[in-house]
């Protein structure tokens, strides 16, 4: 990668936990690529706290003012889902490349407006599908591409967060802001990984329930989703905010093929972050790979964002739209209690 346009200033919209506990580490690992120039948030108290904590002087309570202050730089969109489209379209129309949190938006119409703004302004819109950039998932993809376990028959992903009742004071459990419950909150990551590893999803069936002690009975807390892939494989996604599991099993993946299997044991994401071990089990012996750099996924994501900016190659916005379409189909399948075909 040439360095003639870097480092690039980054303007961050949304003084959010996801920035402090995730994106910040990726940016700090690549000071030759990006540096944080400004923060924008409607919560002025939080805005001032972030400015002091990260030693950033330019602070804005209005996105338009932030974008008008400079004619260069990129935007990192860390707002709640309801604001994703508005912020991203404004950034793209201001001729800024945009790295935006998942899911892409609340509706497919909003997603289309974001993709159109990126096309019209010849800017990059990339979604924060950081799991693609985790060394563990990169290793799994390499194993599958090298036919390490033969033809894949099934894949199952489990994500259990072990959250308490305090979760229900968070915007993620307010469907008017987040778009739904646990499926809206995190399914986009695993739908993207499923498609990244095995190709397109053909149909979906699902069921889900709120937690029985939840004050928000209108959002799903525990869900099961089944997938049929074009390649002939089947998939299962299990996730919940409230289920208790050991830390090293908070997230797990199991992939079974005709010649073996891949078992991934994940740690609590915000503590150790991502798969710590990937085991290949075969009749002629096992192999195990370990990964001890939990924040590498965010550093790799930032580097990939810089790469697509420079090369102007397609980013993952279209994948974000497809993930949202599948997410909405999961909710449709829950309601109708049947397999729903995807176009």
């Amino acid at each position: 990668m040439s360095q003639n346009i870097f480092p690039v200033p980054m303007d961050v919209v949304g003084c959010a936990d996801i920035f402090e506990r995730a994106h910040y580490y990726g940016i700090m690992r690549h000071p030759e690529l990006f540096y944080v120039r400004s923060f924008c948030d409607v919560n002025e108290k939080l805005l001032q706290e972030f400015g002091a904590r990260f030693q950033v002087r330019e602070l804005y309570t209005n996105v338009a003012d932030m974008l008008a202050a400079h004619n260069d730089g990129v935007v990192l969109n860390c707002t709640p889902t309801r604001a994703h489209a508005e912020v991203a379209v404004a950034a793209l129309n201001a001729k800024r490349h945009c790295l935006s949190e998942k899911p892409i938006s609340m509706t497919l119409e909003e997603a289309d407006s974001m993709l159109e703004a990126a096309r019209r302004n010849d800017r990059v819109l990339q979604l924060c599908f950081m799991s693609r950039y985790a060394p563990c998932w990169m290793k799994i993809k390499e194993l599958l591409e090298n036919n390490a376990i033969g033809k894949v028959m099934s894949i199952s992903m489990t994500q259990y967060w072990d959250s308490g009742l305090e979760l229900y004071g968070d915007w993620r459990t307010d469907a008017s802001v987040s778009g739904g419950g646990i499926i809206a909150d995190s399914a986009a990551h695993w739908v993207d990984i499923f498609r990244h590893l095995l190709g397109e999803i053909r149909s979906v069936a699902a069921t889900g329930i709120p937690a029985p002690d939840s004050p928000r009975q209108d959002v799903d807390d525990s869900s099961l989703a089944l997938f049929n892939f074009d390649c002939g494989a089947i998939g299962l996604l299990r996730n919940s905010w409230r289920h208790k599991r050991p830390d090293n099993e908070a997230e797990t993946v199991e992939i079974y093929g005709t010649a073996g299997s891949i078992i991934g044991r994940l740690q609590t994401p915000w503590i150790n972050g991502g798969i710590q071990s990937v085991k290949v089990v075969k009749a002629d012996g096992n192999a195990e790979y370990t990964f001890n750099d939990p924040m590498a996924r965010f550093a790799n994501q930032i580097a990939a964002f810089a790469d697509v900016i420079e090369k102007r190659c397609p980013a993952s916005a279209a994948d974000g739209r497809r993930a949202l379409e599948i997410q909405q189909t999961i909710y449709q399948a829950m309601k109708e209690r049947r397999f729903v075909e995807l176009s």
Side-chain angles (χ1 to χ4, degrees), residues 138-181:
M138 294 166 70
K139 183 63 180 181
I140 289 174
K141 185 168 178 61
E142 175 192 313
L143 289 166
L144 294 180
E145 288 177 343
N146 290 336
N147 203 36
I149 61 170
K151 183 174 176 58
V152 173
M153 296 182 288
S154 70
I155 182 171
S156 63
M157 180 74 206
T158 300
Q159 178 193 47
Y160 290 153
W161 288 97
D162 187 26
S163 296
L165 286 172
E166 68 277 1
L167 172 77
Y168 300 107
D170 191 280
W171 67 265
R172 292 177 300 158
T173 60
D174 182 345
S176 67
V177 180
S178 67

Side-chain angles (χ1 to χ4, degrees), residues 67-121:
L67 293 172
H70 302 278
N71 60 7
D72 65 344
V74 301
V75 171
L76 174 60
N77 185 4
C78 294
T79 59
T81 308
R82 184 169 63 186
H84 284 181
E86 179 182 359
V87 170
V89 170
L92 295 163
N93 285 341
K95 305 297 182 182
R96 308 292 185 83
H97 303 296
C98 183
L99 177 61
S100 187
E101 264 299 326
K102 58 78 197 165
I104 188 171
S105 58
M106 292 283 280
T107 68
L108 292 174
E109 290 76 17
E110 287 181 343
D112 288 338
S113 72
M114 296 163 74
L115 269 67
E116 171 56 24
R119 185 203 62 77
R120 185 175 64 251
N121 292 290

Side-chain angles (χ1 to χ4, degrees), residues 19-331:
F19 173 81
E20 184 171 8
R21 302 181 70 183
H23 297 300
Y24 172 72
Y25 292 96
I27 297 166
M28 290 302 100
R29 289 199 186 185
H30 287 291
E32 79 283 5
L33 298 178
F34 298 104
Y35 63 92
V36 178
R37 176 172 61 191
S38 70
F39 286 117
C40 178
D41 200 287
V42 295
N43 184 327
E44 191 160 0
K45 181 177 182 293
L46 186 60
L47 181 65
Q48 294 295 331
E49 290 175 356
F50 263 59
R53 190 177 309 151
F54 297 102
Q55 298 182 316
V56 172
R57 293 184 178 182
E58 288 195 42
L59 306 175
Y60 301 92
T61 58
N62 183 283
V63 173
D65 291 342
M66 183 196 74
L67 293 172
H70 302 278
N71 60 7
D72 65 344
V74 301
V75 171
L76 174 60
N77 185 4
C78 294
T79 59
T81 308
R82 184 169 63 186
H84 284 181
E86 179 182 359
V87 170
V89 170
L92 295 163
N93 285 341
K95 305 297 182 182
R96 308 292 185 83
H97 303 296
C98 183
L99 177 61
S100 187
E101 264 299 326
K102 58 78 197 165
I104 188 171
S105 58
M106 292 283 280
T107 68
L108 292 174
E109 290 76 17
E110 287 181 343
D112 288 338
S113 72
M114 296 163 74
L115 269 67
E116 171 56 24
R119 185 203 62 77
R120 185 175 64 251
N121 292 290
D122 188 30
R123 299 292 95 175
V124 168
L125 172 62
Q126 182 167 314
L127 266 289
C128 294
F129 287 146
M130 81 287 185
S131 293
R132 284 193 183 205
Y133 305 104
C136 49
W137 286 111
M138 294 166 70
K139 183 63 180 181
I140 289 174
K141 185 168 178 61
E142 175 192 313
L143 289 166
L144 294 180
E145 288 177 343
N146 290 336
N147 203 36
I149 61 170
K151 183 174 176 58
V152 173
M153 296 182 288
S154 70
I155 182 171
S156 63
M157 180 74 206
T158 300
Q159 178 193 47
Y160 290 153
W161 288 97
D162 187 26
S163 296
L165 286 172
E166 68 277 1
L167 172 77
Y168 300 107
D170 191 280
W171 67 265
R172 292 177 300 158
T173 60
D174 182 345
S176 67
V177 180
S178 67
I182 186 64
I183 289 294
D185 182 31
S186 62
H189 281 307
W190 313 122
V191 166
D192 182 65
I193 282 291
F194 280 5
R195 295 180 63 241
H196 185 55
L197 296 179
L198 298 182
E200 197 51 79
I201 295 170
R202 185 173 70 245
S203 63
V204 175
T207 187
I209 58 170
D213 57 350
S214 167
R216 291 189 178 275
Q217 290 293 301
D218 61 328
V219 294
D220 46 296
D221 168 89
S222 303
S223 70
L224 298 172
L226 294 171
F227 303 88
N228 288 306
F229 293 85
D230 281 347
C231 68
I234 56 176
L236 168 67
L237 172 62
R238 305 186 298 175
N239 56 358
S240 172
W241 283 316
R242 301 288 303 287
H243 290 1
K244 176 69 176 175
R245 295 188 90 189
D247 283 350
N248 68 340
E249 296 180 8
E251 293 181 4
T252 58
V253 63
E254 300 179 2
I255 307 172
Y256 296 95
T258 55
S261 59
I262 297 171
I263 311 295
R265 299 299 179 192
L266 293 73
Q267 305 286 359
T268 302
W270 294 117
I271 299 174
N272 297 310
I275 295 176
Q276 295 297 294
S277 68
V278 173
K279 180 180 291 187
V280 180
V281 181
K282 302 178 71 172
D284 59 356
N286 303 339
E288 187 165 1
Y289 308 88
T290 58
F291 305 90
N292 299 309
D293 186 3
M295 306 313 286
R297 52 187 173 161
F298 298 106
N300 292 342
Q301 178 175 255
I302 284 292
F305 183 46
D307 199 40
V308 296
I309 287 173
E310 188 173 47
K311 294 181 179 179
R312 291 292 199 279
C313 62
S316 61
D319 289 316
R321 186 196 186 280
R322 182 61 169 175
L324 177 63
E325 184 178 15
I326 294 170
Q327 173 186 305
Q328 291 184 347
T329 305
I330 291 173
Y331 279 129

